[in-house]
Amino acid sequence: INKMATNLYSHSIFPPPRQNKDFLELKQFFKKNGKIKDFPAHESKAHSVDWNSDGRKVASGSTDKTVSVFSLDRYGLTRVHNYKGHSDHVDQLCWHPSHPEYLVSASEDKTIRIWDARVGHKCAQCISTKGDNINICWSPDGNTIAVGNKEDLITWIDTRNYKTKSEMHFNYEVNEISWNNTSEYFFLTNGNGCIVILSFPELKVMETLQAHSSNCISLEFDSQGRYFATGSADALASLWDLEELVCVRSFPRLFWPVRTLSFSFDGKLLAMGSEDHHVDIALVETGEEVCKVPCNASTFCVAWHPNKYLLAFVSDDKDRHERDAVDV
C-alpha cells in the first residue's frame, strides 16, 4: 500500500537583484523556522488537505475513505476526528469560506458529505450526485458548492437547501474548479491547457485563455484579489493578473507536472507541489525561490495557513511506523 504524509512547514526566468527586501526577510525567516513534524493521519494515501477559515483546524481526505480533522495549538496538531461514511476514495475536500466548523468532502462513491467539526461521527448532510466525484469547491459567499466528476460534469448545489441549482457537462477534460473571490465568475482548467471563465450564476462562457502547452491541472486565487495561478503538465506554474487576464510570469523550476498550488495569506508567496521531491516556495512579485521544502515523495496537495507562514501538504510518503502522517 502506498503511504502518504500530510506536512506542515513553518527566479523567474530573469530574476531581479537579490536586494529585494521581502525576498531577503522571507528567505531568512524560513531558514530560521523551517522545521517539519509529522502526525499520523490515514491508513493510505491522502489526496487533499485544507485549513479552516480561522486556522485552528486542518483536514485531510484519503483513499482510505476517511476524513481526518486536526486542531492546531502551540505544540502542533492533535487529531480530533476521523470521519467515516464514504464508501470510496475521498479525492478532495474544502472548508466553508467563513464558518470555521463546516467542511465538505467529495468522493468517488457518488456523494458529497458536509461535516460539522463540532460533532464526532455522523455527517451533517449527505448529497447524492451523478458520478464519481473528484473536485469540489465552496463559493466565497458560502451559498453554493460546486462538484466535478470523472465524466466532466459539474454540479452546483445550493447550500441553503442542498438542492441542485444547475449542472453542466463539458466536452473536454475538466481539472481544477474555483470561483473568483467575489463569487461573480467561475473558473476551470482543462485538458487542452486552457482556463475557461464562466459568469455566475448564468454560466455563460466569458473568456477562454490558452494558458499552457499541455494539460492545465491546478488553479488557485490569492486572497488579495490581484492574481491567480495555474499549474500544468508542462511543469510550469503561471501567474495571471486577475483584472487584465494576462500572464505576468512563469515559475520554471519544477521538472514534473505542477498539480497543486497555494498562495500565502498575504499573497506574497506561492507554494507549488509536483512529483519533484520538494515543495517550491516562490516570491510572487519576482518569482525567486524563497525556500525549498524537502519531502521524500510526490506531493498531492499544499495549503497555506490563513494567517501564518505555515504550510500543510500531503504527499506519497509515510512516517516511521509505516502510516500516513501529518507533518508540521
Side-chain angles (χ1 to χ4, degrees):
I1 298 176
N2 288 326
K3 301 295 181 178
M4 81 86 194
T6 302
N7 311 266
L8 293 177
Y9 192 82
S10 170
H11 87 130
S12 66
I13 298 174
F14 303 102
R18 292 297 176 104
Q19 283 73 33
N20 182 286
K21 184 180 179 182
D22 280 340
F23 175 81
L24 295 173
E25 290 179 351
L26 288 166
K27 195 171 182 66
Q28 184 61 32
F29 174 85
F30 285 104
K31 183 177 180 180
K32 181 179 179 181
N33 297 284
K35 299 177 181 179
I36 301 174
K37 190 173 182 180
D38 61 87
F39 300 87
H42 296 282
E43 297 301 322
S44 59
K45 286 190 290 188
H47 283 171
S48 184
V49 66
D50 195 31
W51 292 96
N52 73 342
S53 59
D54 64 14
R56 295 180 181 180
K57 293 184 177 72
V58 64
S60 58
S62 169
T63 58
D64 68 7
K65 309 172 189 177
T66 70
V67 173
S68 287
V69 176
F70 294 81
S71 64
L72 175 69
D73 58 30
R74 60 182 297 185
Y75 302 106
L77 297 179
T78 302
R79 187 160 69 175
V80 292
H81 299 303
N82 183 237
Y83 291 122
K84 298 179 180 180
H86 284 297
S87 59
D88 210 330
H89 299 172
V90 178
D91 275 344
Q92 201 168 57
L93 55 75
C94 63
W95 291 87
H96 188 286
S98 58
H99 195 300
E101 305 297 345
Y102 293 156
L103 71 152
V104 62
S105 54
S107 171
E108 295 181 25
D109 65 6
K110 299 183 180 181
T111 70
I112 66 170
R113 292 175 183 256
I114 296 174
W115 311 88
D116 185 337
R118 297 166 296 188
V119 180
H121 302 290
K122 291 184 177 181
C123 69
Q125 194 75 34
C126 179
I127 304 165
S128 296
T129 61
K130 293 183 177 180
D132 299 354
N133 302 309
I134 54 175
N135 296 315
I136 198 160
C137 60
W138 212 316
S139 63
D141 62 15
N143 292 331
T144 312
I145 291 170
V147 57
N149 66 28
K150 289 183 176 180
E151 289 75 42
D152 304 310
L153 176 74
I154 300 178
T155 302
W156 289 267
I157 298 166
D158 192 324
T159 58
R160 293 162 289 192
N161 55 26
Y162 302 112
K163 294 182 179 179
T164 297
K165 297 171 68 171
S166 53
E167 59 185 30
M168 183 179 291
H169 182 265
F170 296 84
N171 60 1
Y172 46 73
E173 177 184 331
V174 174
N175 293 315
E176 198 64 71
I177 56 177
S178 180
W179 276 272
N180 70 332
N181 294 353
T182 62
S183 303
E184 294 177 287
Y185 297 101
F186 190 83
F187 287 59
L188 62 89
T189 59
N190 71 21
N192 301 323
C194 296
I195 306 160
V196 180
I197 306 171
L198 308 175
S199 61
F200 189 81
E202 299 84 6
L203 301 179
K204 303 292 185 182
V205 176
M206 306 299 289
E207 294 280 353
T208 299
L209 307 173
Q210 187 66 52
H212 293 272
S213 60
S214 59
N215 199 335
C216 193
I217 303 170
S218 49
L219 171 68
E220 182 76 6
F221 287 83
D222 83 335
S223 62
Q224 312 301 304
R226 295 181 60 196
Y227 300 119
F228 66 93
T230 57
S232 171
D234 62 13
L236 291 175
S238 297
L239 184 72
W240 292 77
D241 183 290
L242 189 53
E243 184 175 347
E244 301 294 333
L245 295 179
V246 295
C247 180
V248 271
R249 70 180 48 84
S250 295
F251 304 85
R253 285 184 296 272
L254 296 172
F255 291 95
W256 293 91
V258 183
R259 54 188 178 189
T260 178
L261 301 161
S262 183
F263 284 97
S264 60
F265 67 96
D266 54 6
K268 291 183 178 181
L269 299 174
L270 179 65
M272 297 163 277
S274 69
E275 293 178 49
D276 295 74
H277 287 191
H278 65 271
V279 176
D280 189 309
I281 298 178
L283 189 68
V284 168
E285 289 301 328
T286 67
E288 292 176 281
E289 181 185 283
V290 172
C291 182
K292 184 183 289 186
V293 185
C295 49
N296 296 319
S298 305
T299 304
F300 294 119
C301 188
V302 295
W304 281 108
H305 189 278
N307 51 54
K308 301 178 188 296
Y309 288 133
L310 188 64
L311 184 72
F313 63 96
V314 291
S315 63
D316 192 13
D317 203 352
K318 58 192 175 183
D319 68 5
R320 62 182 179 276
H321 303 297
E322 301 294 310
R323 299 169 300 188
D324 296 336
V326 175
D327 296 328
V328 181

mmCIF file of all heavy atoms in Angstrom, residues 145-164:
data_model
loop_
_atom_site.group_PDB
_atom_site.id
_atom_site.type_symbol
_atom_site.label_atom_id
_atom_site.label_comp_id
_atom_site.label_asym_id
_atom_site.label_seq_id
_atom_site.Cartn_x
_atom_site.Cartn_y
_atom_site.Cartn_z
ATOM 1 N N ILE A 145 -21.987 25.133 -3.458
ATOM 2 C CA ILE A 145 -20.890 24.179 -3.585
ATOM 3 C C ILE A 145 -20.888 23.678 -5.024
ATOM 4 O O ILE A 145 -21.936 23.343 -5.578
ATOM 5 C CB ILE A 145 -21.055 22.992 -2.618
ATOM 6 C CG1 ILE A 145 -20.855 23.448 -1.172
ATOM 7 C CG2 ILE A 145 -20.066 21.874 -2.948
ATOM 8 C CD1 ILE A 145 -21.228 22.397 -0.139
ATOM 9 N N ALA A 146 -19.720 23.647 -5.637
ATOM 10 C CA ALA A 146 -19.567 23.075 -6.974
ATOM 11 C C ALA A 146 -18.778 21.780 -6.866
ATOM 12 O O ALA A 146 -17.766 21.723 -6.170
ATOM 13 C CB ALA A 146 -18.855 24.051 -7.909
ATOM 14 N N VAL A 147 -19.250 20.744 -7.540
ATOM 15 C CA VAL A 147 -18.568 19.446 -7.516
ATOM 16 C C VAL A 147 -18.431 18.936 -8.943
ATOM 17 O O VAL A 147 -19.358 19.023 -9.748
ATOM 18 C CB VAL A 147 -19.326 18.433 -6.618
ATOM 19 C CG1 VAL A 147 -20.766 18.251 -7.058
ATOM 20 C CG2 VAL A 147 -18.599 17.097 -6.573
ATOM 21 N N GLY A 148 -17.243 18.448 -9.273
ATOM 22 C CA GLY A 148 -16.978 17.910 -10.596
ATOM 23 C C GLY A 148 -16.696 16.425 -10.529
ATOM 24 O O GLY A 148 -16.098 15.935 -9.556
ATOM 25 N N ASN A 149 -17.107 15.679 -11.558
ATOM 26 C CA ASN A 149 -16.880 14.237 -11.542
ATOM 27 C C ASN A 149 -16.016 13.787 -12.721
ATOM 28 O O ASN A 149 -15.591 14.595 -13.550
ATOM 29 C CB ASN A 149 -18.214 13.474 -11.484
ATOM 30 C CG ASN A 149 -19.067 13.634 -12.737
ATOM 31 O OD1 ASN A 149 -18.566 13.849 -13.843
ATOM 32 N ND2 ASN A 149 -20.376 13.522 -12.564
ATOM 33 N N LYS A 150 -15.765 12.490 -12.781
ATOM 34 C CA LYS A 150 -14.862 11.944 -13.788
ATOM 35 C C LYS A 150 -15.416 12.038 -15.200
ATOM 36 O O LYS A 150 -14.674 11.896 -16.178
ATOM 37 C CB LYS A 150 -14.536 10.484 -13.457
ATOM 38 C CG LYS A 150 -13.634 10.306 -12.255
ATOM 39 C CD LYS A 150 -13.306 8.838 -12.034
ATOM 40 C CE LYS A 150 -12.325 8.660 -10.885
ATOM 41 N NZ LYS A 150 -12.007 7.227 -10.657
ATOM 42 N N GLU A 151 -16.729 12.259 -15.307
ATOM 43 C CA GLU A 151 -17.355 12.385 -16.622
ATOM 44 C C GLU A 151 -17.410 13.841 -17.076
ATOM 45 O O GLU A 151 -18.121 14.175 -18.032
ATOM 46 C CB GLU A 151 -18.770 11.794 -16.588
ATOM 47 C CG GLU A 151 -18.812 10.272 -16.485
ATOM 48 C CD GLU A 151 -18.464 9.781 -15.085
ATOM 49 O OE1 GLU A 151 -18.953 10.402 -14.113
ATOM 50 O OE2 GLU A 151 -17.709 8.810 -14.967
ATOM 51 N N ASP A 152 -16.694 14.727 -16.377
ATOM 52 C CA ASP A 152 -16.607 16.151 -16.734
ATOM 53 C C ASP A 152 -17.947 16.859 -16.619
ATOM 54 O O ASP A 152 -18.262 17.775 -17.380
ATOM 55 C CB ASP A 152 -16.016 16.328 -18.135
ATOM 56 C CG ASP A 152 -14.658 15.659 -18.273
ATOM 57 O OD1 ASP A 152 -13.806 15.901 -17.409
ATOM 58 O OD2 ASP A 152 -14.463 14.874 -19.224
ATOM 59 N N LEU A 153 -18.722 16.419 -15.637
ATOM 60 C CA LEU A 153 -19.976 17.077 -15.286
ATOM 61 C C LEU A 153 -19.757 17.875 -14.011
ATOM 62 O O LEU A 153 -19.261 17.339 -13.016
ATOM 63 C CB LEU A 153 -21.087 16.049 -15.059
ATOM 64 C CG LEU A 153 -22.430 16.610 -14.582
ATOM 65 C CD1 LEU A 153 -23.162 17.323 -15.728
ATOM 66 C CD2 LEU A 153 -23.304 15.496 -13.998
ATOM 67 N N ILE A 154 -20.101 19.173 -14.036
ATOM 68 C CA ILE A 154 -20.036 20.000 -12.830
ATOM 69 C C ILE A 154 -21.465 20.272 -12.370
ATOM 70 O O ILE A 154 -22.332 20.649 -13.161
ATOM 71 C CB ILE A 154 -19.303 21.328 -13.087
ATOM 72 C CG1 ILE A 154 -17.863 21.061 -13.551
ATOM 73 C CG2 ILE A 154 -19.293 22.184 -11.816
ATOM 74 C CD1 ILE A 154 -17.086 22.321 -13.864
ATOM 75 N N THR A 155 -21.685 20.060 -11.070
ATOM 76 C CA THR A 155 -22.988 20.301 -10.457
ATOM 77 C C THR A 155 -22.836 21.391 -9.410
ATOM 78 O O THR A 155 -21.906 21.349 -8.592
ATOM 79 C CB THR A 155 -23.530 19.020 -9.799
ATOM 80 O OG1 THR A 155 -23.614 17.989 -10.793
ATOM 81 C CG2 THR A 155 -24.913 19.249 -9.194
ATOM 82 N N TRP A 156 -23.743 22.374 -9.444
ATOM 83 C CA TRP A 156 -23.748 23.454 -8.466
ATOM 84 C C TRP A 156 -24.904 23.218 -7.487
ATOM 85 O O TRP A 156 -26.063 23.078 -7.909
ATOM 86 C CB TRP A 156 -23.894 24.803 -9.149
ATOM 87 C CG TRP A 156 -22.667 25.223 -9.900
ATOM 88 C CD1 TRP A 156 -21.646 25.998 -9.439
ATOM 89 C CD2 TRP A 156 -22.334 24.905 -11.259
ATOM 90 N NE1 TRP A 156 -20.699 26.184 -10.406
ATOM 91 C CE2 TRP A 156 -21.087 25.523 -11.546
ATOM 92 C CE3 TRP A 156 -22.955 24.160 -12.265
ATOM 93 C CZ2 TRP A 156 -20.462 25.422 -12.782
ATOM 94 C CZ3 TRP A 156 -22.332 24.048 -13.502
ATOM 95 C CH2 TRP A 156 -21.105 24.673 -13.749
ATOM 96 N N ILE A 157 -24.595 23.168 -6.189
ATOM 97 C CA ILE A 157 -25.567 22.817 -5.161
ATOM 98 C C ILE A 157 -25.778 24.007 -4.234
ATOM 99 O O ILE A 157 -24.813 24.602 -3.730
ATOM 100 C CB ILE A 157 -25.087 21.591 -4.353
ATOM 101 C CG1 ILE A 157 -24.968 20.372 -5.291
ATOM 102 C CG2 ILE A 157 -26.028 21.298 -3.186
ATOM 103 C CD1 ILE A 157 -24.207 19.223 -4.703
ATOM 104 N N ASP A 158 -27.041 24.365 -4.009
ATOM 105 C CA ASP A 158 -27.402 25.465 -3.109
ATOM 106 C C ASP A 158 -27.280 24.961 -1.671
ATOM 107 O O ASP A 158 -27.948 24.009 -1.271
ATOM 108 C CB ASP A 158 -28.841 25.912 -3.397
ATOM 109 C CG ASP A 158 -29.196 27.220 -2.714
ATOM 110 O OD1 ASP A 158 -28.734 27.460 -1.572
ATOM 111 O OD2 ASP A 158 -29.972 28.008 -3.297
ATOM 112 N N THR A 159 -26.406 25.601 -0.883
ATOM 113 C CA THR A 159 -26.170 25.132 0.489
ATOM 114 C C THR A 159 -27.284 25.547 1.451
ATOM 115 O O THR A 159 -27.271 25.141 2.609
ATOM 116 C CB THR A 159 -24.829 25.671 1.012
ATOM 117 O OG1 THR A 159 -24.824 27.106 0.953
ATOM 118 C CG2 THR A 159 -23.674 25.139 0.183
ATOM 119 N N ARG A 160 -28.235 26.342 0.979
ATOM 120 C CA ARG A 160 -29.353 26.737 1.844
ATOM 121 C C ARG A 160 -30.467 25.701 1.860
ATOM 122 O O ARG A 160 -31.254 25.633 2.800
ATOM 123 C CB ARG A 160 -29.890 28.104 1.412
ATOM 124 C CG ARG A 160 -28.894 29.247 1.659
ATOM 125 C CD ARG A 160 -29.206 30.492 0.874
ATOM 126 N NE ARG A 160 -28.943 30.299 -0.558
ATOM 127 C CZ ARG A 160 -28.915 31.285 -1.447
ATOM 128 N NH1 ARG A 160 -29.124 32.529 -1.055
ATOM 129 N NH2 ARG A 160 -28.676 31.031 -2.721
ATOM 130 N N ASN A 161 -30.501 24.849 0.815
ATOM 131 C CA ASN A 161 -31.498 23.775 0.807
ATOM 132 C C ASN A 161 -30.926 22.445 0.304
ATOM 133 O O ASN A 161 -31.637 21.446 0.246
ATOM 134 C CB ASN A 161 -32.705 24.177 -0.055
ATOM 135 C CG ASN A 161 -32.289 24.570 -1.469
ATOM 136 O OD1 ASN A 161 -31.258 24.140 -1.984
ATOM 137 N ND2 ASN A 161 -33.113 25.396 -2.114
ATOM 138 N N TYR A 162 -29.634 22.430 -0.049
ATOM 139 C CA TYR A 162 -28.918 21.237 -0.507
ATOM 140 C C TYR A 162 -29.532 20.628 -1.764
ATOM 141 O O TYR A 162 -29.498 19.412 -1.963
ATOM 142 C CB TYR A 162 -28.821 20.196 0.617
ATOM 143 C CG TYR A 162 -28.122 20.748 1.836
ATOM 144 C CD1 TYR A 162 -28.816 20.957 3.023
ATOM 145 C CD2 TYR A 162 -26.779 21.104 1.784
ATOM 146 C CE1 TYR A 162 -28.185 21.482 4.136
ATOM 147 C CE2 TYR A 162 -26.133 21.637 2.891
ATOM 148 C CZ TYR A 162 -26.848 21.830 4.057
ATOM 149 O OH TYR A 162 -26.220 22.358 5.155
ATOM 150 N N LYS A 163 -30.082 21.478 -2.615
ATOM 151 C CA LYS A 163 -30.632 21.033 -3.880
ATOM 152 C C LYS A 163 -29.776 21.550 -5.031
ATOM 153 O O LYS A 163 -29.110 22.580 -4.923
ATOM 154 C CB LYS A 163 -32.067 21.530 -4.041
ATOM 155 C CG LYS A 163 -33.041 20.917 -3.040
ATOM 156 C CD LYS A 163 -34.464 21.416 -3.283
ATOM 157 C CE LYS A 163 -35.434 20.775 -2.287
ATOM 158 N NZ LYS A 163 -36.833 21.260 -2.497
ATOM 159 N N THR A 164 -29.800 20.805 -6.125
ATOM 160 C CA THR A 164 -29.026 21.195 -7.305
ATOM 161 C C THR A 164 -29.593 22.468 -7.927
ATOM 162 O O THR A 164 -30.782 22.542 -8.227
ATOM 163 C CB THR A 164 -29.036 20.064 -8.342
ATOM 164 O OG1 THR A 164 -28.395 18.912 -7.778
ATOM 165 C CG2 THR A 164 -28.295 20.482 -9.611
#
